[in-house]
Amino acid sequence: MSIRTERMELFKGADRFSNRSHRHGHWYQVTVPVQGVCHVTMENKPYRLNGGEGLIQHPGTEHFLRLDADSSVIIIKIREDALGLEQASGSLPEFAVRQRMDPGELSRLFRHWTSELMFGDAPDPLAAQETEIRVLHYLRATLNGSIPERGLESKVRDVHIHQVLEYMHAYYAEAVSVDDLAAVAKQSRFHFIRNFRECTGVTPYQYLLMLRVDKAKQLLKSSGDSVADISCSLGFSCTSQFHRAFRKFAGMTPGEFRQS
């Protein structure tokens, strides 16, 4: 299984999987066997990893891996700029090569992340970016070594989030991204999404859906537009996504709402 977004890739291999020697020029890779044994060769040095024994491949590091029978591995690749690495020195953080990670927790989170991207609202950029941020928060809390955040302010003022809400009310039908909203708030993307939830009780994507559903209710009451046309006008990627969001926030389908 392999799922890739703009800033990360989630991969799971199993049962005698192997690949060829390669490098990732601008990506960090976290390799964690969650079952059995994984053999990794990195810069011509062999590593034998058991379940939960993670290994970090820094950008430009040559490596390849091989799994034993009845083994499986989870790989998380993160692009350099997703980690906020634009530092004045231009240097990259150095993580300990070996990492200890809980294979059960990682497997559970991996299933959740991939389900969000495969069966959720991943075509919407904001939804995919929120999944990216959840992966990054996990890595921040887990890896032995610091991931620096950029542009964090010592104190967040409500006026910044208020400006974001005004922006979202004006552009809720557009393809809004986390970077767009963070720029309005003048905060780093990671700091912004955390503070947005603290101030509103929901994520930016959930708030965006609430705005779209509220507008949909008005259109269903006041216009004869079809459900598909309303869905398209409000920025939903497809009618099924619109139905899921509407049912979640309204407790019924758009058709049921119109009839009532």
Side-chain angles (χ1 to χ4, degrees):
M1 172 188 290
S2 179
I3 301 177
R4 185 165 184 168
T5 66
E6 183 181 359
R7 297 177 177 86
M8 74 175 183
E9 181 178 351
L10 302 176
F11 174 87
K12 186 171 184 179
D15 204 16
R16 298 191 182 279
F17 169 82
S18 64
N19 58 17
R20 296 181 179 181
S21 182
H22 61 285
R23 303 173 187 266
H24 305 301
H26 299 284
W27 296 73
Y28 283 84
Q29 177 171 310
V30 184
T31 303
V32 185
V34 292
Q35 181 179 340
V37 177
C38 176
H39 303 272
V40 179
T41 299
M42 189 166 65
E43 298 293 0
N44 296 319
K45 182 177 180 180
Y47 296 84
R48 186 181 188 277
L49 306 176
N50 295 304
E53 294 180 346
L55 200 68
I56 302 294
Q57 289 84 51
H58 289 76
T61 302
E62 185 176 7
H63 62 279
F64 63 93
L65 65 85
R66 174 179 57 83
L67 294 179
D68 283 352
D70 301 319
S71 300
S72 61
V73 65
I74 287 176
I75 294 174
I76 303 173
K77 288 169 55 181
I78 298 291
R79 212 172 69 186
E80 286 177 6
D81 57 1
L83 298 177
L85 301 177
E86 289 86 347
Q87 304 176 86
S89 64
S91 61
L92 301 177
E94 288 292 330
F95 300 106
V97 171
R98 286 186 176 273
Q99 302 280 339
R100 184 65 201 176
M101 306 174 80
D102 184 336
E105 178 188 30
L106 178 57
S107 295
R108 176 181 60 80
L109 291 172
F110 183 87
R111 288 193 296 270
H112 186 65
W113 298 329
T114 53
S115 294
E116 288 181 337
L117 294 173
M118 292 175 65
F119 307 115
D121 298 328
D124 193 303
L126 190 55
Q129 288 168 355
E130 287 187 2
T131 301
E132 289 177 349
I133 288 173
R134 279 189 278 276
V135 176
L136 288 168
H137 278 294
Y138 167 76
L139 295 178
R140 286 181 187 279
T142 305
L143 295 182
N144 178 19
S146 62
I147 303 177
E149 296 188 59
R150 60 188 176 199
L152 291 184
E153 298 172 321
S154 59
K155 185 177 181 180
V156 177
R157 299 176 181 178
D158 288 347
V159 66
H160 293 154
I161 300 301
H162 179 71
Q163 290 172 341
V164 171
L165 295 178
E166 289 184 339
Y167 180 91
M168 295 180 76
H169 277 264
Y171 298 103
Y172 61 85
E174 306 295 329
V176 180
S177 72
V178 170
D179 290 329
D180 294 335
L181 300 179
V184 173
K186 298 181 176 62
Q187 298 169 0
S188 77
R189 63 203 308 266
F190 305 107
H191 195 41
F192 159 70
I193 198 168
R194 183 167 56 242
N195 285 304
F196 188 96
R197 186 159 194 167
E198 288 176 355
C199 291
T200 67
V202 295
T203 71
Y205 183 59
Q206 290 170 331
Y207 192 85
L208 185 74
L209 291 181
M210 290 166 61
L211 293 177
R212 291 176 175 177
V213 169
D214 284 344
K215 182 62 176 178
K217 289 179 179 179
Q218 297 175 26
L219 294 173
L220 288 167
K221 288 180 179 179
S222 62
S223 77
D225 294 345
S226 69
V227 170
D229 287 341
I230 292 174
S231 169
C232 182
S233 70
L234 294 177
F236 288 97
S237 61
C238 59
T239 305
S240 61
Q241 183 199 18
F242 174 50
H243 273 263
R244 287 196 303 271
F246 197 94
R247 181 184 287 276
K248 176 178 180 180
F249 293 107
M252 62 182 74
T253 68
E256 291 169 343
F257 180 87
R258 173 169 269 171
Q259 291 174 1
S260 68

